[in-house]
Amino acid sequence: MSRLPRLVATLALAVLATLLPGLATSPASASLAPLAPVDPDADPQKNLDEFETRVVHLINKRRVARDRVPVRRIQSCQDTGAERWAQKLTTVDTKAHRDMGKVLRDCRLQWVGEVIAWGGGDPTPRQIVDAWMASEGHRTVIMKGRARVAGIGVRRADDGELNIVLTFGQRR
């Protein structure tokens, strides 16, 4: 079995794109950082920050190709939460999304959606994005017009399993 079908098989089946109204009317105060450039000399299997950067760049290429606005990475609250959740996923057997209502409140967003993936075999950023795009539920979240900011976490478990959490949001 090739890596891509195996990766598709290990993707989270549940995709959560919560559409809840904003809980406050003030604008989000979380800071935004510009998207980092891809470093062609970095090995994304050894440098997980580079892995994250490449995933977001590939997502943005797909979004632009479908007339969507690229997401601006990083909204600090979302990114911190995605990093923490990816770390948590390295320690549990059952993979699941976190409480999106809490993400909405804590990050002061008016919309949030999340995609997760995990698996061994050193998948590349392109394989992860291709697998998400092959799944209707994941693709729907990724292509959502309301997705304007993002946070991403990639962590490797002790057994080598890679855990990826990508959270999209729309600021208030």
Side-chain angles (χ1 to χ4, degrees):
M1 180 180 243
S2 73
R3 285 183 174 183
L4 185 57
R6 182 175 41 220
L7 182 60
V8 171
T10 61
L11 281 172
L13 296 177
V15 174
L16 182 57
T18 306
L19 299 173
L20 295 175
L23 300 174
T25 58
S26 61
S29 61
S31 64
L32 290 173
L35 184 61
V38 169
D39 179 353
D41 298 324
D43 180 352
Q45 294 302 327
K46 295 179 181 168
N47 180 337
L48 296 183
D49 287 336
E50 182 64 21
F51 193 102
E52 293 173 358
T53 297
R54 290 182 186 195
V55 166
V56 176
H57 275 276
L58 290 166
I59 291 291
N60 278 337
K61 282 184 176 182
R62 301 289 178 96
R63 287 178 58 83
V64 168
R66 294 191 182 187
D67 296 323
R68 298 290 188 270
V69 174
V71 296
R72 294 180 308 182
R73 183 188 168 224
I74 298 178
Q75 198 250 14
S76 61
C77 177
Q78 284 177 269
D79 195 59
T80 299
E83 297 279 359
R84 288 180 181 158
W85 196 248
Q87 183 61 45
K88 169 110 175 125
L89 293 178
T90 67
T91 65
V92 297
D93 291 330
T94 303
K95 308 300 184 184
H97 292 278
R98 56 202 158 127
D99 178 354
M100 293 290 100
K102 182 170 176 21
V103 176
L104 277 173
R105 289 186 303 277
D106 291 353
C107 296
R108 303 180 72 183
L109 300 169
Q110 63 178 327
W111 175 84
V112 66
E114 180 174 86
V115 293
I116 61 176
W118 64 91
D122 291 332
T124 67
R126 183 170 306 282
Q127 288 172 320
I128 295 294
V129 172
D130 286 348
W132 279 333
M133 295 303 289
S135 160
E136 183 178 349
H138 292 89
R139 186 175 55 253
T140 298
V141 173
I142 290 167
M143 291 296 145
K144 192 75 165 176
R146 297 177 78 179
R148 298 301 175 98
V149 293
I152 185 169
V154 178
R155 291 291 181 266
R156 191 174 300 281
D158 291 340
D159 66 0
E161 178 183 75
L162 204 59
N163 293 270
I164 303 112
V165 176
L166 179 55
T167 306
F168 299 95
Q170 181 180 20
R171 296 171 64 192
R172 292 187 200 160

